[in-house]
């Protein structure tokens, strides 16, 4: 039988120790949320045939934003991680999946190699988990003092994804329901399943605190030393109307802008700049104006698509700078909102985004107020 391997991404936790009031898996990390990076690793892996996320139902809006455009479905989690995994496994019971890889949604930097190694181990093993032998000395500590040294022979720390034969791990979880076991390998052990160890990776860290998030940012920066820049330019003509869309913000104006989509020249220039930095064509190639599905489209979709291409390449966005060129509308009132909107779409901190405006001293088509123009420069970092 050809293996059919599902990925179950566990993201139902409410932990917000990483700061920002948001559960950690929905925090931004270099151009995508933590969860989106984890999901993308599995969705884009050729060995995985379907990806299901287990989320807290209250997080549905966050999840939709984090999974937009990805081939992922979700199911509601329970009160504990173990309960959430059980619910996720039950949702896969009749899916045709033969195996499942269970992964923490808060481990965004999982490598293709770890996923492939776990899958490969499942050819012969009932279960497999990535692990690292412990190099530091281990101490038993009580009241702030070392009581004794713990022999570390045979001691490993394990990560996710942990892979299993689906029906075996589902039965094991059903049998373990209500117990408090720390991970799925422990559930498998309790059921007598054999779990093989494959090589883990220190970069495959689990984000729990703000320090972990900062560490993941540094790891991403270290991995991405290939700095590239792209530029974009766009023009739209004014037409009858009472508002324009610029940099994702609705701006009241004496005219509208003519275009197939929402005619947001700012986001179009920015999308082209990002595609330019990636060397991946232009906005017209990705979203042909002849295609009726993009009529009236929200241009944030175009920019999000380009940002996803960056995430799939393992890259991060370093900076985006947009210049709007027009006599009217006046941009200064809206600049803060535009910066925030672009930062939200790109999943970066607002200090990585700049929006500014200029006129052409009443010269040319922008000076005659026939239309407006936008230009953008984007700097990205890709893996070497
Ligand atoms: Mg355009």
């Amino acid at each position: 039988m050809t293996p059919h391997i599902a990925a179950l991404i566990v993201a139902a936790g409410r932990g917000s120790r990483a700061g920002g009031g948001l559960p950690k898996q929905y925090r931004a990390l270099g151009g995508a949320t933590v969860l989106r990076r984890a999901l993308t690793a599995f969705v884009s892996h050729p060995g995985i045939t379907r990806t299901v996320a287990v989320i807290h139902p209250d997080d549905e809006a966050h999840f939709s934003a984090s999974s937009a455009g990805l081939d992922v479905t979700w199911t509601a989690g329970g009160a504990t991680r173990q309960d959430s995994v059980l619910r996720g496994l039950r949702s896969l019971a009749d899916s045709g999946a033969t195996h499942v890889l269970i992964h923490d949604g808060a481990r965004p930097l999982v490598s293709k190699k770890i996923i492939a190694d776990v899958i490969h181990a499942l050819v012969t093993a009932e279960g497999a988990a990535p692990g690292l032998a412990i190099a530091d000395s281990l101490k038993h500590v009580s009241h702030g003092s070392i009581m004794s040294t713990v022999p570390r022979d045979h001691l490993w720390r394990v990560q996710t994804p942990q892979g299993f034969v689906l029906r075996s791990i589902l039965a094991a979880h059903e049998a373990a329901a209500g117990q408090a076991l720390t991970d799925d390998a422990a559930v498998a052990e309790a059921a007598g399943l054999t779990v093989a160890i494959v090589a883990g990776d220190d970069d495959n860290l689990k984000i729990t605190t703000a320090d972990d998030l900062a560490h993941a940012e540094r790891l991403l920066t270290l991995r991405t030393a290939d700095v590239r820049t792209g530029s974009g330019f766009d023009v739209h003509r004014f037409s009858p109307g009472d508002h324009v869309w610029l940099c994702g913000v609705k701006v009241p104006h004496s005219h509208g802008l003519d275009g197939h989509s929402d005619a947001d020249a700012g986001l179009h220039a920015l999308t082209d700049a990002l595609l330019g930095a990636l060397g991946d064509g232009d906005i017209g190639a990705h979203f042909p104006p002849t295609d009726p599905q993009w009529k009236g489209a929200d241009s944030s979709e175009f920019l999000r698509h380009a940002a996803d291409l960056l995430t799939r390449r393992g890259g991060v966005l370093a900076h985006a700078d947009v210049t709007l060129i027009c006599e009217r509308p006046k941009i200064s009132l809206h600049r803060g909102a535009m910066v925030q909107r672009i930062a939200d779409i790109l999943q970066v901190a607002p200090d990585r985004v700049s929006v500014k405006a200029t006129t052409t001293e009443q010269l040319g088509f922008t000076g005659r107020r026939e239309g407006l123009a936008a230009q953008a420069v984007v700097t990205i970092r890709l893996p070497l």
Side-chain angles (χ1 to χ4, degrees):
M1 182 164 59
T2 310
H4 172 147
I5 303 169
L8 191 66
I9 313 300
V10 189
R14 307 296 287 156
S16 54
R17 272 193 288 158
L22 267 178
K24 62 209 172 184
Q25 60 273 28
Y26 298 111
R27 296 292 307 279
L29 178 61
T33 61
V34 167
L35 179 58
R36 190 174 185 89
R37 284 193 177 273
L39 292 171
T40 301
F42 289 87
V43 169
S44 63
H45 199 284
I48 301 293
T49 48
R50 81 162 61 207
T51 303
V52 177
V54 189
I55 67 166
H56 194 288
D58 288 355
D59 292 340
E60 191 179 348
H62 293 312
F63 176 74
S64 296
S66 269
S67 63
L70 298 180
D71 187 12
V72 180
T73 56
W74 69 271
T75 189
T80 64
R81 183 188 186 281
Q82 197 176 324
D83 192 21
S84 291
V85 172
L86 175 56
R87 288 170 190 234
L89 291 171
R90 283 177 181 157
S91 81
L92 287 169
D94 299 319
S95 68
T98 56
H99 297 75
V100 61
L101 264 53
I102 304 170
H103 184 65
D104 296 326
R107 290 188 194 267
L109 302 184
V110 59
S111 67
K112 287 189 177 75
K113 181 176 185 309
I114 287 185
I115 296 172
D117 287 352
V118 171
I119 290 173
H120 182 71
L122 291 176
V123 174
T124 51
E126 291 171 296
L132 292 156
I134 292 175
D136 298 326
S137 291
L138 283 179
K139 305 292 181 186
H140 187 105
V141 174
S142 181
H143 301 292
S145 296
I146 292 173
M147 308 306 287
S148 59
T149 297
V150 180
R152 67 184 176 211
D153 308 340
H154 309 296
L155 284 185
W156 292 59
R157 53 196 177 91
V158 297
Q159 306 176 324
T160 70
Q162 298 181 355
F164 304 94
V165 173
L166 175 60
R167 58 184 154 68
S168 306
I169 193 67
L170 175 55
H173 261 281
E174 293 284 7
Q179 298 177 37
L181 299 173
T182 58
D183 66 353
D184 305 295
V187 172
E189 292 152 35
L193 302 177
T194 305
V195 182
I197 285 280
V198 303
D201 172 357
D202 273 318
D203 287 5
N204 183 24
L205 80 168
K206 184 173 182 178
I207 296 193
T208 307
T209 65
D211 280 350
D212 298 331
L213 195 59
H215 183 50
E217 289 270 11
R218 283 194 298 276
L219 286 173
L220 269 176
T221 303
L222 286 173
R223 279 185 187 185
T224 52
D226 185 357
V227 177
R228 302 192 184 193
T229 302
S231 76
F233 179 75
D234 195 35
V235 168
H236 282 269
R237 182 191 296 272
F238 285 127
S239 62
D242 61 5
H243 69 275
V244 296
W245 284 95
L246 284 174
C247 296
V249 173
K250 187 177 180 178
V251 177
H253 186 47
S254 57
H255 290 79
L257 283 171
D258 200 20
H260 187 67
S261 65
D262 63 10
D264 188 330
L267 291 190
H268 294 180
L270 194 49
T271 303
D272 255 352
L274 186 44
L275 292 172
L278 288 163
D280 195 350
D282 60 24
I283 194 170
H286 288 266
F287 303 98
T290 48
D291 186 336
Q293 74 167 304
W294 307 120
K295 185 159 175 50
D298 175 347
S299 296
S300 67
E301 278 186 63
F302 305 159
L303 184 56
R304 190 58 245 167
H305 171 76
D308 275 339
L309 295 175
L310 174 65
T311 303
R312 265 182 252 163
R313 293 265 294 268
V316 294
L317 187 123
H319 192 251
D321 181 23
V322 184
T323 302
L324 299 171
I325 305 162
C326 56
E327 300 290 332
R328 286 286 186 277
K330 277 198 86 63
I331 302 303
S332 55
L333 284 174
H334 307 282
R335 185 153 59 181
M338 290 173 175
V339 166
Q340 187 61 55
R341 178 70 185 127
I342 290 170
D344 286 346
I345 298 167
L346 291 175
Q347 290 292 321
V348 294
D351 68 359
R352 292 185 184 275
V353 177
S354 157
V355 174
K356 53 201 192 315
T358 188
T359 71
T360 51
E361 298 290 344
Q362 299 178 40
L363 296 170
F365 72 87
T366 58
R368 292 188 299 271
R369 305 185 184 196
E370 294 165 7
L372 57 71
Q375 60 185 35
V377 174
V378 164
T379 306
I380 63 172
R381 304 172 62 98
L382 292 174
L384 269 180

